Amino acid sequence: MAQALVIGANGGIGAALVATLAVSDRYDRVIAAARSEPSSLPGNVEYCPIDIADPASIEAAATEIDAPLTRVIVATGILHDEDGGPERSLRDLDADRLAHLFAINTIGPALALRHFAPLLAKDQPSTIACISARVGSISDNRLGGWYGYRASKAALNQIVRTAAIELARSRPQAVCVALHPGTVDTGLSKPFQRGVPAEKLFTPAYSAERLLTVLDTLTPAQSGRIFAWDGAEITP
């Protein structure tokens, strides 16, 4: 029985991933996990409550889902909210804000890997992926700024890399990667879309389709790496 799980199903990319997986004939069961139930779900999709900022919620959700899972995507993340946006300089750094960004962008996904990676199929190919960002690449940082978002995504990339090494020992057919979805027309990117060429601003549906296509092409030898929506590998 092929099962797919999307954590963060209320977000723009997460919702699009759920919709794309739901119309695929490859999955017997699609599970949409989010803090609150999405307003509309396809008839063949089940809802599972999960709050990526609450470790107990993540653990409880894992106990409610039957193994094995064949595809898990953690599509959560935060760049800005009502409390503020990305830092432009060192003087903007705030301890509480940094802790909040790491809680959502790094710690939550790390705990999702902890609890859901053991549910991956042992005897068949499977994938577990976390939505990251190109700006989390240390070697690609040429503009500076966005301290908390960059650092929390860079930390997530390291978590994914380390988890992939461990996962290969028990599930040699599994692929564990980080994904860059491109600049997607969602609430996360809305304040920062000025200057983005129209052809580089993706709809959530397009980004979701491209990300799933990339996952379909990856092999265990590529586990632990970071890939963009177009399949190009991103250097850490």
Side-chain angles (χ1 to χ4, degrees), residues 207-233:
S207 179
E209 184 274 328
R210 292 303 308 156
L211 293 176
L212 292 172
T213 298
V214 170
L215 288 179
D216 287 340
T217 68
L218 299 179
T219 69
Q222 296 167 296
S223 193
R225 303 179 187 178
I226 313 161
F227 293 93
W229 59 273
D230 58 357
E233 183 173 354

Side-chain angles (χ1 to χ4, degrees), residues 22-40:
V23 299
S24 170
D25 59 3
R26 295 173 51 184
Y27 299 97
D28 303 292
R29 185 185 186 201
V30 176
I31 305 164
R35 185 166 52 184
S36 59
E37 185 169 1
S39 56
S40 67

Side-chain angles (χ1 to χ4, degrees), residues 40-225:
S40 67
L41 286 174
N44 59 339
V45 176
E46 300 178 27
Y47 168 66
C48 177
I50 189 170
D51 182 349
I52 201 66
D54 181 357
S57 170
I58 300 170
E59 183 176 8
T63 65
E64 296 296 321
I65 295 175
D66 296 328
L69 293 169
T70 47
R71 177 155 291 177
V72 178
I73 304 177
V74 184
T76 56
I78 182 174
L79 173 59
H80 62 91
D81 58 16
E82 63 276 5
D83 293 326
E87 311 92 342
R88 296 182 180 276
S89 71
L90 286 169
R91 64 177 173 271
D92 296 328
L93 292 180
D94 174 81
D96 290 339
R97 182 66 179 170
L98 286 171
H100 183 56
L101 289 170
F102 271 83
I104 303 297
N105 293 336
T106 311
I107 298 172
L111 294 177
L113 289 173
R114 172 192 173 185
H115 291 292
F116 290 102
L119 302 184
L120 292 175
K122 290 185 177 182
D123 56 354
Q124 59 180 302
S126 60
T127 56
I128 186 165
C130 295
I131 300 297
S132 186
R134 187 183 297 277
V135 297
S137 167
I138 295 174
S139 61
D140 192 54
N141 183 358
R142 297 176 177 84
L143 297 176
W146 291 28
Y147 285 86
Y149 188 71
R150 287 184 186 275
S152 59
K153 289 297 188 178
L156 173 61
N157 295 340
Q158 182 68 282
I159 292 286
V160 168
R161 172 61 177 169
T162 307
I165 294 171
E166 178 179 349
L167 192 59
R169 301 180 186 129
S170 60
R171 287 162 177 77
Q173 296 186 65
V175 173
C176 177
V177 292
L179 297 172
H180 168 58
T183 302
V184 186
D185 188 12
T186 65
L188 184 144
S189 70
K190 189 70 71 177
F192 312 101
Q193 292 177 7
R194 180 183 298 179
V196 178
E199 68 275 12
K200 293 293 186 181
L201 181 62
F202 303 148
T203 66
Y206 178 78
S207 179
E209 184 274 328
R210 292 303 308 156
L211 293 176
L212 292 172
T213 298
V214 170
L215 288 179
D216 287 340
T217 68
L218 299 179
T219 69
Q222 296 167 296
S223 193
R225 303 179 187 178

